[in-house]
Amino acid sequence: MTSEPMNLNGKTAVIYGAGTIGGAIAEAFVAAGADVHLAARTEASLKAKASAIGARYAVVDALDERAVDEHAATFGRIDISVNVISDNDVQGTPLHEMSVDDYLAPVVTNVRSKFLTARAAARHMIRQGGGVILFFGGTSDGQVHRRWQLGGLVTAFDAVEAMRRQLAAELGPHGVRAVTLQTGGIPESIPAEFRDQVEPDIVGQTALGMAATLRDVGRAAVFAASDWGRTITGAQVNVTCGAILS
């Protein structure tokens, strides 16, 4: 067993999205020694989160190609890129009653923003000879469609997984890894008015009888992004507590 500690010392990490998941990953990255830069659209909450955890920040719309590229160009290097912006999804409406715009909203948001941010990071990482592009979501529980009306959300996650596989294949020869943290749902990230309804379902699907916490997500992200995870690419790191059995 190596005596080298798991850390992100000397790594520059850019995290798009400063909400619950993004904030948890950012906090864990800072604790692991990374130089963390938060990027999001709303400055007030972005500034507050960055100040609270000791990160830097910039106002960036991850759906804006020019904004993403210009922001990325300000860095000498990017070692870790994480995109966890809001999915912009509409749930609770049967598909036959849903508008095409509502169905496509999470698909367009996820595919466009994750492509733009991954592309910007990849250009740095290829020059550097290494880096990690980290996604959050992954392949869902196969029975989730029977329990919830999710609109285009799972379609969006599946599309991003196809992108992640392509990125892993193309970028692997350059030492760049592409990894997804596969979630079965994080109760702390659910709006308060829905949490009592949704949390029992999340926990009930798990093998361990518990759901992953934000702290668990942060720790898994540190592992996946660190040199301890250097053999993992083109794959999902399962943090579902056994809701999904690989």
Side-chain angles (χ1 to χ4, degrees):
M1 181 68 179
T2 179
S3 60
E4 180 185 354
M6 182 172 64
N7 62 62
L8 301 176
N9 291 342
K11 304 291 187 182
T12 297
V14 181
I15 300 175
Y16 300 89
T20 51
I21 302 298
I25 293 174
E27 188 170 358
F29 280 5
V30 169
D35 177 20
V36 175
H37 298 256
L38 290 172
R41 292 187 299 180
T42 307
E43 184 169 15
S45 56
L46 178 62
K47 182 177 181 180
K49 175 61 71 173
S51 177
I53 66 174
R56 287 181 271 187
Y57 77 93
V59 177
V60 180
D61 182 353
L63 291 163
D64 184 323
E65 180 176 12
R66 180 175 177 179
V68 170
D69 286 346
E70 288 182 350
H71 176 246
T74 66
F75 293 93
R77 64 182 296 117
I78 297 176
D79 299 292
I80 307 163
S81 177
V82 186
N83 185 325
V84 282
I85 72 167
S86 173
D87 296 307
N88 196 28
D89 55 312
V90 177
Q91 299 186 28
T93 301
L95 291 185
H96 68 278
E97 296 178 2
M98 181 172 283
S99 72
V100 66
D101 287 341
D102 283 349
Y103 181 79
L104 290 177
V107 181
V108 173
T109 296
N110 274 273
V111 172
R112 181 180 177 86
S113 72
K114 289 177 173 61
F115 173 77
L116 290 175
T117 57
R119 184 183 69 178
R123 290 168 175 171
H124 277 275
M125 293 172 181
I126 288 172
R127 290 195 298 268
Q128 298 160 192
V132 182
I133 299 171
L134 192 61
F135 301 106
F136 182 83
T139 305
S140 71
D141 164 11
Q143 298 300 311
V144 70
H145 305 285
R146 297 181 182 271
R147 302 193 306 275
W148 304 99
Q149 295 168 329
L150 298 175
L153 182 62
V154 177
T155 304
F157 284 175
D158 286 348
V160 170
E161 286 304 280
M163 183 194 307
R164 187 260 301 154
R165 290 190 290 270
Q166 190 70 38
L167 285 167
E170 293 186 12
L171 298 177
H174 301 282
V176 180
R177 299 190 288 116
V179 181
T180 298
L181 297 184
Q182 182 184 29
T183 178
I186 311 299
E188 293 163 276
S189 70
I190 297 169
E193 62 267 31
F194 302 115
R195 182 168 174 176
D196 288 347
Q197 178 185 8
V198 178
E199 184 170 7
D201 179 71
I202 292 175
V203 174
Q205 303 306 312
T206 69
L208 296 178
M210 65 179 190
T213 66
L214 290 173
R215 189 179 186 192
D216 292 327
V217 172
R219 288 176 166 180
V222 170
F223 166 73
S226 75
D227 289 342
W228 279 33
R230 72 187 187 93
T231 60
I232 302 172
T233 192
Q236 299 179 108
V237 174
N238 188 325
V239 293
T240 70
C241 295
I244 301 172
L245 299 176
S246 301

